[in-house]
Amino acid sequence: MPFRELEITQLSGEQIEILKMPTQGRLIISGPPGSGKTILALLRLKKIDDELNHHNTRLVMFNRMVRMEAIQAARHLRIQNAGNRPTGYMEWLTDALNEMCGVEVTRARIADPSFQGKPNWEVIDKMLISKEVMENLHRWVVVDEGQDFPQEFYDFLYKYWPNVTVFADENQIIGEDGSTIKSISQRLARPVHMTVTTNFRNTREVAALADYLHTKGVGGSPGVIPASTPRGPMPELFRSDTDEDFAMKFCRKVITDLIGRNPQPDHALLTATPVSRKRIAALVRTSWPRTVNDRKDITDDMKEHLSGFAELIQEYVPEKLKRPKVGAPGIFIMTMNAAKGCEFESVTLHTSGLNERHAGVDQRKLLYVACTRTRGELLIGVVCSKEALPLSTPETLRDVPDNILANSSTTETLAVAIGREDWASELFAVGQHVRHKLFGIGVVDSVINGNPTTLEITFKLKGKRLVTARSVTPTGRHEQ
């Protein structure tokens, strides 16, 4: 999740400049995935608390799952009443109308009868006019995922809320009700617009694919990659004959990681549709014990240990308010839409139904959101026959250059599942200068090939350390 790095000392210069902005008035902050918008929203909320000496301002969020994680982050930041400060769209609107009108306003009263998750703005406008509600200079609100809120929401804020901070990325709009940076700005009477540009989440390889998918809308590029960003494997498209085959490959990949690289799983499987999510979740659960038992290279004790990870397979079902414990070790299965705001060490996409439900810019934006959820590996699965692959591949990905998206569909197996860390050993040599996010600059003492490739490095500030090759990036210098 985006809340694992909460220390104020880790903020970049542009993030610090945003936090210095006055809390009064209206402000829009736009930026790409991984740029820290949600953390900045929480820190902005904390600043408002400190300045006003009260704890009534709310952080309005669109995604329910990210909101629950934001509550935990708010507690970490010691924000007062953290349990109800990050709040949902309808929850905040109901509470706001209660305060503004001086009477009890229920969610049912203001909900659109055709869709209970949306407000009926005609009803709300009539209510406010009848109560002669006026703008109050002592109202503050912070909005995250601002691109997902409708334009009527910003009309409402302009009329009644003089102090508004909006965090948004219009390139992540999914659906018809969202708002662009331009429309938000117009409805809030052209507030100050600032940007965060640094992508702290993705590897260079994933960032290259994100740049290809980016719609180049208002709000800047898909993110500047810091020099310290580690390299990673190239995103890979693979083919499976059936959903059962796909589920087995996914399980093999996760189990290989658990054995050779990461004993704490942090994997997401994102589907294009809720129907696919339900089916794939069931198949992964049934495939897991079979995949464990098929391994001939591990002991019985290890098989028993791996079998226990089946309990960490979690499906996110929004309509049942069932939320997986994202941020803790697990294997998370959800739709691409539901994954907005989340991040994982590894992401695998199941694209069946994507061409049928999304086309053109909408598909490009959805894939942009899904692909940028990963901190490391990205695998994109297409379930079809060999002959159907050209038309079954998501239309947005059909012309991606080979140096951005690898295509292993002809091998019929995940390269990762048989060890795909060989790329790392070719990048590093003894005497090479490298940069690590935490340890800084160091010199490679030895390269230890394996899965994963590891490096023994002497860092200027931290001394000799053993780290994985994927955690560092070459600086281009060598010791003579």
Side-chain angles (χ1 to χ4, degrees):
M1 293 302 292
F3 313 119
R4 68 190 190 281
E5 297 172 340
L6 289 168
E7 298 302 326
I8 193 74
T9 55
Q10 294 179 317
L11 294 177
S12 66
E14 61 186 3
Q15 291 172 328
I16 292 172
E17 288 303 311
I18 287 170
L19 291 178
K20 289 179 180 178
M21 290 295 292
T23 58
Q24 291 83 9
R26 298 183 174 109
L27 174 66
I28 298 176
I29 299 96
S30 61
S35 58
K37 295 187 297 296
T38 301
I39 286 299
L40 285 173
L42 286 165
L43 292 172
R44 179 81 168 172
L45 184 68
K46 190 173 186 344
K47 180 178 179 179
I48 294 170
D49 281 0
D50 294 341
E51 289 188 3
L52 301 181
N53 198 28
H54 71 65
H55 312 109
N56 299 326
T57 305
R58 310 285 284 277
L59 169 59
V60 188
M61 306 183 73
F62 204 84
N63 185 302
R64 181 186 297 114
M65 185 163 63
V66 178
R67 185 166 72 247
M68 297 305 293
E69 300 303 323
I71 289 173
Q72 298 303 316
R75 288 173 176 152
H76 179 93
L77 291 170
R78 299 179 181 176
I79 293 175
Q80 295 293 318
N81 304 322
N84 63 8
R85 303 295 294 288
T87 187
Y89 178 26
M90 288 293 287
E91 290 84 355
W92 178 82
L93 193 54
T94 302
D95 290 345
L97 291 171
N98 277 324
E99 181 268 327
M100 297 167 70
C101 297
V103 297
E104 183 178 357
V105 178
T106 64
R107 178 169 177 158
R109 181 179 175 185
I110 65 170
D112 187 324
S114 62
F115 190 88
Q116 289 297 304
K118 297 180 180 180
N120 186 326
W121 287 105
E122 184 177 350
V123 169
I124 293 171
D125 287 341
K126 289 180 179 179
M127 182 188 307
L128 293 169
I129 292 172
S130 68
K131 296 293 182 180
E132 298 183 350
V133 175
M134 304 293 290
E135 181 183 62
N136 185 329
L137 295 178
H138 299 287
R139 293 188 182 122
W140 277 259
V141 67
V142 181
V143 179
D144 195 21
E145 307 171 283
Q147 73 280 349
D148 291 324
F149 292 87
Q151 296 179 16
E152 294 87 347
F153 175 67
Y154 294 105
D155 290 334
F156 170 77
L157 292 180
Y158 174 70
K159 290 178 183 177
Y160 304 107
W161 294 77
N163 305 299
V164 179
T165 304
V166 179
F167 293 83
D169 176 9
E170 70 177 54
N171 300 286
Q172 296 190 61
I173 296 175
I174 298 177
E176 300 176 353
D177 295 332
S179 299
T180 64
I181 300 297
K182 182 178 180 180
S183 66
I184 297 171
S185 179
Q186 288 174 339
R187 279 164 169 75
L188 294 181
R190 303 197 180 279
V192 175
H193 178 199
M194 302 180 71
T195 59
V196 280
T197 60
T198 305
N199 178 348
F200 294 103
R201 178 187 300 157
N202 303 134
T203 63
R204 295 178 180 276
E205 288 73 14
V206 172
L209 178 58
D211 182 66
Y212 177 88
L213 295 173
H214 195 267
T215 58
K216 307 301 185 289
V218 176
S221 71
V224 177
I225 299 298
S228 59
T229 297
R231 296 290 302 273
M234 185 183 297
E236 179 181 317
L237 186 143
F238 68 96
R239 186 188 68 82
S240 299
D241 288 319
T242 63
D243 282 341
E244 290 80 359
D245 181 32
F246 175 93
M248 288 292 288
K249 289 177 179 178
F250 175 75
C251 290
R252 286 202 296 270
K253 178 253 188 298
V254 175
I255 289 170
T256 297
D257 279 356
L258 289 172
I259 294 172
R261 189 170 58 139
N262 183 8
Q264 298 294 317
D266 183 14
H267 296 266
L269 197 167
L270 310 182
T271 67
T273 70
V275 172
S276 294
R277 181 206 68 219
K278 183 177 180 180
R279 173 171 170 76
I280 293 299
L283 288 171
V284 168
R285 289 191 180 99
T286 57
S287 298
W288 187 266
R290 292 167 47 198
T291 309
V292 171
N293 289 330
D294 285 346
R295 294 291 299 233
K296 306 301 183 184
D297 58 338
I298 57 177
T299 65
D300 289 341
D301 288 343
M302 176 60 76
K303 287 185 177 181
E304 183 177 356
H305 174 68
L306 291 172
S307 296
F309 281 105
E311 298 178 0
L312 296 180
I313 299 172
Q314 304 175 63
E315 179 187 3
Y316 176 44
V317 185
E319 56 270 24
K320 294 183 180 179
L321 301 181
K322 182 179 179 182
R323 182 180 64 88
K325 297 178 180 179
V326 179
I331 300 161
F332 307 98
I333 303 173
M334 63 188 76
T335 63
M336 298 178 194
N337 271 325
K340 287 185 68 176
C342 302
E343 63 178 60
F344 309 89
E345 184 63 32
S346 173
V347 169
T348 301
L349 306 185
H350 179 274
T351 60
S352 296
L354 190 60
N355 286 330
E356 292 76 11
R357 292 172 66 103
H358 301 275
V361 173
D362 285 343
Q363 183 182 114
R364 180 176 291 270
K365 287 184 175 180
L366 182 57
L367 283 170
Y368 175 75
V369 169
C371 292
T372 53
R373 298 309 96 197
T374 179
R375 298 190 298 270
E377 295 169 323
L378 174 63
L379 301 168
I380 303 173
V382 180
V383 178
C384 65
S385 65
K386 287 183 179 180
E387 295 74 20
L389 184 62
L391 291 180
S392 297
T393 299
E395 61 180 39
T396 303
L397 301 177
R398 291 172 187 170
D399 297 320
V400 180
D402 292 341
N403 64 340
I404 295 177
L405 179 64
N407 189 334
S408 65
S409 57
T410 56
T411 66
E412 301 195 15
T413 182
L414 290 182
V416 173
I418 57 174
R420 196 183 58 187
E421 295 281 347
D422 295 343
W423 60 272
S425 61
E426 300 173 1
L427 290 176
F428 301 99
V430 173
Q432 186 173 16
H433 284 245
V434 296
R435 184 188 301 273
H436 190 278
K437 270 191 172 183
L438 296 179
F439 303 149
I441 298 292
V443 178
V444 176
D445 295 323
S446 63
V447 179
I448 305 169
N449 294 327
N451 188 12
T453 298
T454 54
L455 306 173
E456 189 176 39
I457 300 173
T458 299
F459 292 97
K460 292 182 179 179
L461 299 178
K462 299 293 183 178
K464 193 176 292 293
R465 298 292 181 103
L466 191 67
V467 301
T468 60
R470 63 178 297 144
S471 67
V472 298
T473 183
T475 67
R477 291 183 57 202
H478 285 76
E479 290 290 339
Q480 299 298 322

